[in-house]
Amino acid sequence: MSVACGFECVVVLGCMRWVWKRCTYIGNDDSATWPPATYDEFEPIPRLCRTILAVYEDDLHNPKFPPEGGYRLNPNWVVKRVAYRETLGNAPPYLIYLDHEHHEIVVAIRGLNLVKESDYKVLMDNKLGKQMFDGGYVHHGLLKAAIWMLNKESDTLKRLWVENGKSYRMIFVGHSLGSGVASLLAIIVANHGDRLGGIPRSLLRCYAVAPARCMSLNLAVKYADVIQSVVLQDDFLPRTPTPLEDIFKSVFCLPCLLFLVCLRDTFIPEGRKLRDPRRLYAPGRMYHVVERRFCRCGRFPPDVRTAIPVDGRFEHIVLSCNATSDHGIIWIQRESEKALARLKEATSAEAPTAPPPVQKIERQHTLEKEHKKALERAVTLNIPHAVPTDTDEELSVHKEEESARGVTETASLIEDASTSTSHSTDARTNWNDVVEKLFAQDETGKLTLNKEASCSTE
């Protein structure tokens, strides 16, 4: 009897300890060791959040739901607005904006519309390990949406970039569902920049706001120099390893789902999670906006932290009443505006030890070193398909060679694609052919990376 009572006490104490740790775990803990972001690197994010909000408006000349301070966009610079009736369910609505003030070509993609069946179809079009791409795994439905957008808009983007002196940056930005599409757009264009007039990787950027888990860990780290993800405090989506299609099937019982996922992940070892190549993650470099503290009421002035985490990459569900509200683009836009104002005050208050151009160059070198260390960390942890780099020089050379290989590879793909579509008078790039040529089918019918095609270009 005493042994049974002792065992019960141990079990009860263990459960109480688990409940205490889970209930006291807050979003602030995910980035507690990360360094702060700088004003220059965070500056585009509030502006791009406003651009995403502009996608929801029918007429920017007479906006119905402007954020505080307005959109601060020039309606005459809107090149194209594509609504649901034009996407035909293939992708979320989006907007192409030519920002002459900041020398950017912006493609902004809206988030999930809970009343649109077509958005759910994009989400549901996936299974664990269904789609391999670029040496890793990605969400199949989001990849199809990205390819559809490139088939439709690649000529427009190429024309805009060429007409503006090939000097404008190309920005893909999206929220929630749109963040996954934007991230995969950026990966495709980073490897096939020649299809958009030869745009280099250095002029390509993607901002995933409230990011969806859309790519495997090796790809998330590999493209951290191109993709930046923005997470507000306790946002549930980047933390939920459950596939997107299962999350939104249970959207009307989301708190129950989050609790069950939290309970399940407690018993899965961290190493097992990292070694699963099919497990999807939020992409790129992470920017965590933190505004609440443990056992404190209300919102505090937000801080912004940034890193390229490999292990501990938002792996813990936060049991918080703000887990869903922190996912909203309106809240993210408001808090990012406040965070940027704080960063600006901090920058102006500090006495500069070096001229601003020198500071920017030093910060860029720091970001490159962080990317290199993240790649090395991924190799150390035996992340499937992780690619190492040895020196800072090799990292930059690797990026240039990767871009050059993409040009060589796609040159042959263009020829193959044009041959296969010679019956058509449309000379535009078929991005389905570009992507599918990178894969081969094995005996079981699964798509695998076509090694012969990639090796022939090296």
Side-chain angles (χ1 to χ4, degrees), residues 77-79 96-101 104-106 160 164 168:
W77 292 350
V78 175
V79 178
I96 300 178
Y97 181 70
L98 185 59
D99 189 346
H100 292 292
E101 181 180 354
E104 294 173 347
I105 302 167
V106 181
L160 292 174
N164 288 279
Y168 278 31

Side-chain angles (χ1 to χ4, degrees), residues 191-209:
N191 286 282
H192 305 286
D194 62 308
R195 297 300 184 94
L196 295 180
I199 184 169
R201 185 169 177 147
S202 59
L203 291 180
L204 180 66
R205 286 293 179 271
C206 171
Y207 293 89
V209 181

Side-chain angles (χ1 to χ4, degrees), residues 254-267:
L254 187 57
C256 300
L257 176 67
L258 295 180
F259 178 79
L260 292 175
V261 170
C262 177
L263 182 64
R264 182 199 65 185
D265 285 355
T266 302
F267 303 99

Side-chain angles (χ1 to χ4, degrees), residues 44-111:
I45 292 173
R47 167 165 46 87
L48 294 173
C49 286
R50 294 194 299 270
T51 308
I52 295 174
L53 286 170
V55 182
Y56 293 78
E57 294 282 0
D58 294 327
D59 183 6
L60 280 178
H61 289 91
N62 300 292
K64 296 180 179 178
F65 313 103
E68 184 178 354
Y71 291 106
R72 286 168 261 178
L73 302 177
N74 187 337
N76 297 322
W77 292 350
V78 175
V79 178
K80 181 180 289 189
R81 179 193 303 277
V82 180
Y84 278 109
R85 63 179 178 274
E86 297 170 80
T87 63
L88 302 176
N90 293 291
Y94 58 91
L95 175 147
I96 300 178
Y97 181 70
L98 185 59
D99 189 346
H100 292 292
E101 181 180 354
H102 298 94
H103 298 88
E104 294 173 347
I105 302 167
V106 181
V107 180
I109 310 170
R110 66 159 288 166

